[in-house]
Amino acid sequence: MQIGVDSFAASVPDPVTGATITPVERIQNLLAEITLADQSGLDHFGLGEHHRQEYLDSAPAVILAAAAALTKNIRLASAVTVLSAADPVRVFQEFATLDLISQGRAEIVVGRGSFIESFPLFGLALEDYDSLFTSKLDLLLELRDHTHVTWSGEHRAPLTGQGVYPRPLQNPIPIWLGVGGTPQSFARAGALGLPLMVAIIGGEPHRFRPLVDLYREAGKRAGHAPETLKVGVHALGYTAATDAQAAEDFFPGYAAAFTAIGKERGWPPVTRRQFDALLGPTGALMVGSPETVAKKVKAMSESLGGISRISFQMSVSALPHAKLMNAIELIGTAVAPILRK
């Protein structure tokens, strides 16, 4: 199992002190976090893409390229690239360039994102949500497989054999499909033979088993080898010396973030009781001591029929930089060895 960390480069007030660091400080802290993840032996680091005031990751490939110059082994990925609102040619060129800078460590995780700000920002119609993604994913895969592409689709000018450069060092550069809970997305990933990255941020992970089975069945019907149908999980997670300390560290920022999102989407405020329920053996939060977190990840993997990758999303909780650094080191030195064993 590959073990890593995802970040959204959140720049929000500390939920306890109310202090907010500058965007420059947050970016420098993020680069230090990626560097430590590399030094701690983690397999990958993913960076999201948002176009909102509270996030600094609107240009993830730029940040990942800076990280590539500071690291040696860790794989660098988007988490996710909002492909519906992007030009696939530019996405491919950016990550091919990142692959050259990192000497073959770039990956693309494409998805539709959980926010909609990018649609009006780039002059796109929200009602085209699905057709935009389907068409652009088709083009991105063509660009990965062919230097010269002849292609036409609904939402972009056609390509008539133009060469798209540079080419990445990896052939092919890995492209994962990031999904939430839509059955059509799981089936699509399987039919295309793409590795799957499942965002499980609430509820009980074992409830995703039918969707994961749907993915594997669709891949099998399409003739893809079982070993190519990899399943990864993006989970909210954090570790500290004890279960109690991890929960106390993580809850304030978690509650603030999801209560704020809830105001936009009609959810009730987050309560400590709800949070504690998600900390239980079958809950989605991978929060606790290294031993507890490793045990929960292992149980989740078994409930889903085996996973190939786990990514811990910690930045949603607006944790102080020092605590994030400590957690990254613990994941690399205490959680990862248990899972790899």
Side-chain angles (χ1 to χ4, degrees), residues 112 127-136 154-155 188:
R112 292 182 288 189
E127 57 264 29
D128 295 331
Y129 185 80
D130 190 65
S131 62
L132 278 164
F133 184 77
T134 301
S135 177
K136 292 184 176 187
E154 182 181 356
H155 300 287
R188 172 189 289 146

Side-chain angles (χ1 to χ4, degrees), residues 9-58:
S11 181
V12 296
D14 185 298
V16 177
T17 67
T20 303
I21 64 175
T22 68
V24 169
E25 289 176 292
R26 181 66 189 100
I27 289 293
Q28 295 306 311
N29 287 348
L30 176 60
L31 293 174
E33 291 156 17
I34 302 173
T35 302
L36 179 61
D38 181 51
Q39 294 169 347
S40 299
L42 293 180
D43 297 299
H44 64 275
F45 200 104
L47 188 60
E49 177 191 340
H50 300 85
H51 301 272
R52 297 167 62 93
Q53 182 179 6
E54 63 266 37
Y55 300 112
L56 303 175
D57 56 7
S58 63

Side-chain angles (χ1 to χ4, degrees), residues 13 33 80 87 148 170 202 247 269 273 286:
E33 291 156 17
V80 300
D87 182 347
H148 296 270
Q170 298 177 91
R273 183 177 179 181
M286 303 293 143

Side-chain angles (χ1 to χ4, degrees), residues 31-152:
L31 293 174
E33 291 156 17
I34 302 173
T35 302
L36 179 61
D38 181 51
Q39 294 169 347
S40 299
L42 293 180
D43 297 299
H44 64 275
F45 200 104
L47 188 60
E49 177 191 340
H50 300 85
H51 301 272
R52 297 167 62 93
Q53 182 179 6
E54 63 266 37
Y55 300 112
L56 303 175
D57 56 7
S58 63
V62 177
I63 301 173
L64 292 172
L70 301 172
T71 56
K72 295 181 179 180
N73 300 307
I74 197 165
R75 300 191 66 77
L76 302 167
S78 55
V80 300
T81 294
V82 184
L83 191 61
S84 302
D87 182 347
V89 173
R90 290 299 287 155
V91 169
F92 181 82
Q93 290 174 325
E94 289 168 357
F95 280 87
T97 303
L98 172 62
D99 201 50
L100 297 177
I101 294 171
S102 65
Q103 300 182 61
R105 293 186 281 128
E107 298 185 358
I108 313 172
V109 181
V110 297
R112 292 182 288 189
S114 60
F115 295 101
I116 61 173
E117 287 80 9
S118 57
F119 285 84
L121 183 64
F122 296 111
L124 301 167
L126 187 58
E127 57 264 29
D128 295 331
Y129 185 80
D130 190 65
S131 62
L132 278 164
F133 184 77
T134 301
S135 177
K136 292 184 176 187
L137 178 59
D138 179 61
L139 176 53
L140 182 63
L141 295 176
E142 285 291 318
L143 294 165
R144 180 182 69 167
D145 295 339
H146 306 286
T147 301
H148 296 270
V149 174
T150 299
W151 178 93
S152 63

